[in-house]
Amino acid sequence: MCAVATVDPGLRARHDALVRDVQAHAYRYYVLDDPTVSDAEYDALYRELVALEQAHPELVHPGSPTQRVGDQPRGDLVKYERPARMFSLDNAYSADDLRAFDERVRRGLREGERFAYVAEPKLDGASIEIVYEVAGSRATLTMVSTRGDGKVGELVTENVRTIKSLPLVLELAPEIGEKVDRLTLRGEVVIHRKDLDAINADREKNGEEPFANPRNAAAGSLRMLDPRVVARRPLRVSLYQLVEGPKLHGTHAESLEWIATVGLPTHRRQVICASIDDVLSAIGDFDRARGGYPFETDGVVVKIDEYRQQSILGETAKFPRWAIAYKFAAERVVTEVRGVQVQVGRTGALTPVADLSPVLLAGTTVSRASLHNFDRVTSFDVRVGDFVEIEKAGEIIPQVIRVLHDRRPECTTPTPVPTECPECGTQVVRAGEEVALRCPNRRCPAVVRAALHYYSRRFAMDIDHLGPSLIDQLVQSKLVSDVADLYDLTVEQLVELERMAKKSASNVVAQITGSKQRPFDRLLTALGIPQIGQVAARQLAEEIPSLEALLELGAEGAARAAGSIHGFGPAMVDAIRAWIADDDNRAVLEKLRARGVSVPYQRARVSLEGPLVGKSFCVTGVLSRKREEVHEDIRAAGGEVHDAVKSGTTYLVAGEKVGQTKLDAARKKGVQVIDENGLMAMLGKPPVGQTSLV
Ligand SMILES: [Zn+2]
């Protein structure tokens, strides 16, 4: 940096020392999980660094821990063609595959030549390549790319800079700094299991799909466009290969040691093996231990340790010949079926679930597994008393893979396919080609529970404090049998329920009463009419602005009105007609009207001169405000709102925790992705709250 010369050397030294200390403590905390200072002491050091930089901005350099989070979202990810290809590895699925690999290695080396393998857990995340530029004894993180197709990846430097366990600068020994210009390393970005649980709990609370596994969560986070959002994700990195650097050592294992000594994160679980038999036994150890690792592993990477021998073996067109990835079989265990339960969902669909003797599978105790539908129950012939093999698909939801018919005890009976709903006794139906059996009873307790839950969601009527266990009690005690009954609840009735204090009862009643003031489009959403999401509900409310108007029009009138709406196809129109024509639904609507629910929808002032005229937006993810309010602002400024990303959409406004599918769809359709502040800027409004750097 050219400014260096003008800086007071004493201040520079103090700054360097603070940067080093903050980084060292972060390493002990995030990598070694063994902090030597308290959080408060760490915070004090960090604050001192921030204060020093504020007083002397000339001290700030990109390697300072205060500079982790950039403040500009990007329009798109930039492609990067790397000088050396980032190979993926050939896979092995059995001991035979590994022995065949060992044979090939032997043939590639001189006859009788001694060599060693290194076996290390294969982390299940997203692969990256990291470059540090070296100047003097300091190495500065300058570039991070995804694997992509191996040759061409995408630059994700800004995002990876937010990972606190990764130093932005390294202090190298002077003799090393003199020898190399850059360090190139490869590794994996991962999310720990417990962190994923927290992310998913949050997503479900916000009505978003949970990530299926830590890998999806890591890969999705890595490619997000706004580093400020990435900074809030609990990403970690583990480096597993030194590609370019000081030729201090002749082996991979020694290089990993060196990587750790300069403060870079590695997982430190590698095992040196003298033979393929040792490798097999190490794999067995890893397989037994991996349930206890904080991260997901899907296999073991086996590499030739010595670099000289690696280069003799070289690569095929696709894979290096000196390494292979052994993949664990999806873990399966055998256990006994104790019963088959039937669950009923919001649409009335019946799902069979096997009750199992508790058994340990991939690190968790499993006592239930899905049987998906009754066609499968019949074709598997699963019976109570049977032994079944279960598997964790993507290590998340266990399912029954097969029945061990030869272990079937005597006197079992076939599992009956229900003809009646287990919750309400109504005869079940199978509509057309559908696999699922359904309970057609709209007053079925299970269906009512699910409908109440949907009705109270944030994007619908937004009734706080109406959780699953309260809904359960309300339905069971027959206080509530449809959504309109909520408005008849009294504090006195609620305090009769289990675990309900007077204060919380009053809260619940106040929340329910408050929801009467939601505009009609929110009520339309909350009713859960098939095919009608938030945006369609709003469009419908533009034509039919109140509950009174809807009741007056009736099914045919409403269908006609819906048919005139741009973008409403026949399926949507039919769904609306059928829903309103249903006597039960109509009765609920009448009850809601009698209780004064929902105020008429106020047509947004459609501005033809706003800054967003001619532009359309799809809003997704978690924003600083309710999504509905953001829609409001867009429309007030003349913009159009789309429910999903379509080819005509101009912008995808991506909030926090945005799903990768949405981003992919946007990219595919050439829709520009912006964040909330990008939108605020277009609206001519000040940016929303800044992300904390700590
Ligand atoms: Zn039922």
Side-chain angles (χ1 to χ4, degrees), residues 148-213:
D149 66 3
K151 188 74 188 149
V152 179
E154 286 170 322
L155 289 179
V156 289
T157 316
E158 293 298 307
N159 289 352
V160 172
R161 280 176 62 91
T162 67
I163 302 177
K164 297 194 187 72
S165 58
L166 188 70
L168 300 175
V169 286
L170 302 171
E171 292 298 330
L172 304 178
E175 64 273 19
I176 293 175
E178 281 164 21
K179 281 187 204 143
V180 291
D181 297 331
R182 55 199 245 145
L183 303 176
T184 303
L185 304 118
R186 288 174 188 166
E188 200 83 353
V189 171
V190 295
I191 287 182
H192 282 184
R193 284 196 200 102
K194 67 170 167 41
D195 292 334
L196 182 71
D197 292 345
I199 294 176
N200 277 345
D202 223 37
R203 287 176 74 85
E204 289 189 49
K205 218 167 61 198
N206 294 322
E208 293 168 299
E209 280 291 303
F211 286 116
N213 52 49

Side-chain angles (χ1 to χ4, degrees), residues 344 348 350 420-426 428 439-441 443-447:
V344 185
L350 272 54
E420 294 172 353
C421 171
E423 292 260 358
C424 69
T426 305
V428 298
C439 168
N441 174 13
R443 297 189 170 269
C444 172
V447 176

Side-chain angles (χ1 to χ4, degrees), residues 169-485:
V169 286
L170 302 171
E171 292 298 330
L172 304 178
E175 64 273 19
I176 293 175
E178 281 164 21
K179 281 187 204 143
V180 291
D181 297 331
R182 55 199 245 145
L183 303 176
T184 303
L185 304 118
R186 288 174 188 166
E188 200 83 353
V189 171
V190 295
I191 287 182
H192 282 184
R193 284 196 200 102
K194 67 170 167 41
D195 292 334
L196 182 71
D197 292 345
I199 294 176
N200 277 345
D202 223 37
R203 287 176 74 85
E204 289 189 49
K205 218 167 61 198
N206 294 322
E208 293 168 299
E209 280 291 303
F211 286 116
N213 52 49
R215 180 185 56 242
N216 288 5
S221 304
L222 196 56
R223 301 185 65 251
M224 291 177 79
L225 296 176
D226 191 343
R228 290 166 301 184
V229 179
V230 181
R232 278 172 261 164
R233 291 270 171 93
L235 297 176
R236 293 163 196 261
V237 64
S238 181
L239 300 173
Y240 55 69
Q241 196 187 348
L242 178 66
V243 182
E244 192 183 355
K247 294 277 176 279
L248 298 174
H249 313 289
T251 69
H252 168 64
E254 287 166 334
S255 293
L256 285 185
E257 287 288 327
W258 179 78
I259 287 173
T261 60
V262 296
L264 287 166
T266 68
H267 55 70
R268 294 172 155 243
R269 284 183 172 84
Q270 54 275 11
V271 177
I272 299 178
C273 304
S275 69
I276 201 69
D277 287 320
D278 287 359
V279 168
L280 288 169
S281 109
I283 286 174
D285 292 343
F286 283 130
D287 198 6
R288 279 184 291 279
R290 69 190 174 115
Y293 295 161
F295 46 80
E296 295 285 350
T297 51
D298 59 348
V300 175
V301 174
V302 180
K303 296 172 183 166
I304 291 286
D305 192 22
E306 205 177 297
Y307 288 140
R308 186 186 56 83
Q309 291 170 329
Q310 286 185 4
S311 53
I312 290 171
L313 291 165
E315 290 94 29
T316 68
K318 284 166 83 176
F319 307 115
R321 289 197 186 88
W322 47 267
I324 197 160
Y326 174 84
K327 291 287 188 86
F328 292 125
E331 200 181 330
R332 292 177 176 189
V333 289
V334 172
T335 185
E336 188 188 355
V337 177
R338 289 177 166 180
V340 175
Q341 290 192 6
V342 183
Q343 291 179 344
V344 185
R346 180 162 73 93
T347 60
L350 272 54
T351 306
V353 175
D355 261 338
L356 306 167
S357 292
V359 63
L360 200 64
L361 175 64
T364 55
T365 303
V366 172
S367 56
R368 293 152 72 77
S370 176
L371 286 159
H372 298 281
N373 55 59
F374 280 95
D375 281 3
R376 181 179 284 219
V377 170
T378 310
S379 67
F380 277 18
D381 187 19
V382 186
R383 302 179 182 193
V384 174
D386 268 340
F387 286 88
V388 291
E389 192 170 40
I390 59 170
E391 176 182 298
K392 268 195 173 179
E395 306 207 21
I396 300 290
I397 305 156
Q399 43 189 311
V400 172
I401 298 302
R402 79 189 169 100
V403 177
L404 307 178
H405 290 288
D406 51 336
R407 288 183 64 184
R408 174 169 289 169
E410 285 173 33
C411 303
T412 61
T413 50
T415 302
V417 175
T419 53
E420 294 172 353
C421 171
E423 292 260 358
C424 69
T426 305
Q427 193 159 9
V428 298
V429 293
R430 185 192 285 245
E433 300 285 288
E434 268 191 346
V435 180
L437 298 174
R438 282 178 204 283
C439 168
N441 174 13
R442 225 62 56 73
R443 297 189 170 269
C444 172
V447 176
V448 172
R449 281 198 302 267
L452 286 169
H453 177 63
Y454 190 77
Y455 187 81
S456 64
R457 297 272 294 270
R458 214 168 61 152
F459 57 84
M461 295 299 261
D462 193 14
I463 306 175
D464 234 355
H465 304 305
L466 199 58
S469 75
L470 177 56
I471 288 176
D472 234 16
Q473 294 186 65
L474 292 174
V475 175
Q476 205 167 25
S477 60
K478 300 213 164 42
L479 285 173
V480 175
S481 58
D482 61 47
V483 296
D485 288 343

